[in-house]
Amino acid sequence: MIAIVPAFNEAANIVSAVEDLRVNAPDINYVVVNDGSRDETAVICRQRGYHMVDLPVNLGLAGAFQTGMKYALDHGYDYALQFDADGQHSAAYVGALVDAAEKQRANVVIGSRFAAVKKPVSARMAGSALISAMILLTTGKRVQDPTSGMRLFDASMIRLLATEPDLGPEPDTIALLMRRGAKVCEVQVQMRDRVAGESYLTFTRSASYMARIGLSILLVQWFRRPFSEPGRFRGKAAVAPSDVAVCCAPVPTDQVLRPCEVEGGRALSGSSAASTKGAGAVEEEALR
């Protein structure tokens, strides 16, 4: 299994994100996909010996994500985890995501903030609820947290997302995969607030994002060509869209998540500390 960490101008957060993986999920590999950052993200990764694919230009999240999927496919991983570089995701839930994938035989497992927790009332959550409604309308199934960026993909999804054009890490892709036969489930997780930097989703960009995703789910995707390798998820013929289930597997927790901090060469996550020397390393040499 490998964690794919797309990063664009995340110099303030990248250490926390990677050290969280190395401390809380030491048995999995990771690769940072530096998406043409203009800050010190790549420099920090090299100084700390992080495993990195360094893109010379900014491709955007979809391009960085597909680069990571191509890396996972080339190296034969069974699972790939989409893991944000902004420090909001917690590697403590990696085991729960993998368990759900195995037990539910799911192709995609979403780390969901709302699988077992009610969505708060806010403008941002209204957008999430609208996307959930559009997915329900077009697939007949409800995804409680469609905008979560913490997602686990199995080997069939890795191959598909590495080779098919225009399948980015977005809710419209999840909707399309469900309609084409992929099984999706959600696992309850907690997420942190961003502690440094700014989200690219300003009000204007958020409105544009909602319009684009909504148009894709409701209209554009109905005219997409079939996948080049259709109906081959988990080595079995895909079931009809009406039979695809979204199954919630909540993992309750009362832990307050804090960013992983690095102090004196040791990584601290929450109240626990562990040495990070040599933990979670990818055997292959980092790509430059």
Side-chain angles (χ1 to χ4, degrees):
M1 176 179 170
I2 187 169
I4 298 167
V5 189
F8 176 65
N9 292 344
E10 292 289 359
N13 299 308
I14 192 63
V15 173
S16 175
V18 174
E19 295 301 334
D20 186 14
L21 283 166
R22 297 176 72 177
V23 170
N24 290 311
D27 295 331
I28 73 169
N29 296 330
Y30 70 88
V31 62
V32 177
V33 182
N34 178 46
D35 190 20
S37 296
R38 296 187 293 269
D39 65 1
E40 299 298 305
T41 298
V43 173
I44 292 171
C45 288
R46 291 193 183 99
Q47 289 176 342
R48 290 184 168 270
Y50 293 162
H51 306 286
M52 176 180 65
V53 173
D54 195 8
L55 300 178
V57 296
N58 177 243
L59 299 181
L61 177 59
F65 172 76
Q66 188 172 59
T67 298
M69 284 296 177
K70 288 180 180 293
Y71 184 97
L73 178 63
D74 289 345
H75 291 80
Y77 286 101
D78 294 327
Y79 290 104
L81 174 71
Q82 180 188 347
F83 195 84
D84 286 356
D86 58 12
Q88 295 187 68
H89 296 164
S90 172
Y93 294 103
V94 171
L97 298 180
V98 175
D99 286 346
E102 294 292 338
K103 292 177 181 178
Q104 303 290 342
R105 295 192 59 80
N107 305 112
V108 182
V109 182
I110 299 173
S112 172
R113 294 162 290 183
F114 312 117
V117 177
K118 186 177 180 180
K119 286 183 183 178
V121 177
S122 69
R124 185 172 184 177
M125 290 301 102
S128 174
L130 181 58
I131 293 175
S132 291
M134 288 187 286
I135 293 176
L136 177 63
L137 178 66
T138 55
T139 68
K141 303 296 176 182
R142 186 180 299 278
V143 177
Q144 299 289 354
D145 195 2
T147 60
S148 169
M150 188 177 188
R151 305 183 183 104
L152 180 72
F153 301 91
D154 74 355
S156 63
M157 294 291 99
I158 291 173
R159 176 172 296 279
L160 192 67
L161 294 168
T163 57
E164 286 288 331
D166 303 323
L167 287 182
E170 302 290 0
D172 57 338
T173 293
I174 299 299
L176 178 62
L177 292 173
M178 290 170 64
R179 290 208 310 272
R180 298 287 176 89
K183 184 174 183 179
V184 177
C185 74
E186 297 184 84
V187 168
Q188 180 67 40
V189 303
Q190 282 185 308
M191 292 189 187
R192 312 178 184 99
D193 293 328
R194 173 186 279 270
V195 296
E198 295 182 359
S199 171
Y200 77 97
L201 283 177
T202 61
F203 177 80
T204 301
R205 287 174 176 169
S206 294
S208 175
Y209 174 86
M210 284 295 301
R212 176 172 57 83
I213 292 298
L215 183 64
S216 177
I217 293 174
L218 296 176
L219 180 63
V220 174
Q221 291 190 354
W222 296 95
F223 298 96
R224 288 198 54 154
R225 63 175 178 79
F227 297 145
S228 57
E229 295 183 17
R232 303 303 299 176
F233 300 146
R234 276 195 170 271
K236 293 184 179 182
V239 295
S242 60
D243 295 329
V244 177
V246 177
C247 41
C248 296
V251 180
T253 177
D254 55 4
Q255 179 185 7
V256 177
L257 299 179
R258 293 190 294 276
C260 188
E261 300 175 355
V262 176
E263 179 180 342
R266 295 175 67 83
L268 309 177
S269 181
S271 60
S272 62
S275 173
T276 63
K277 183 178 180 182
V282 180
E283 294 180 359
E284 292 78 21
E285 182 178 353
L287 300 181
R288 300 294 173 86

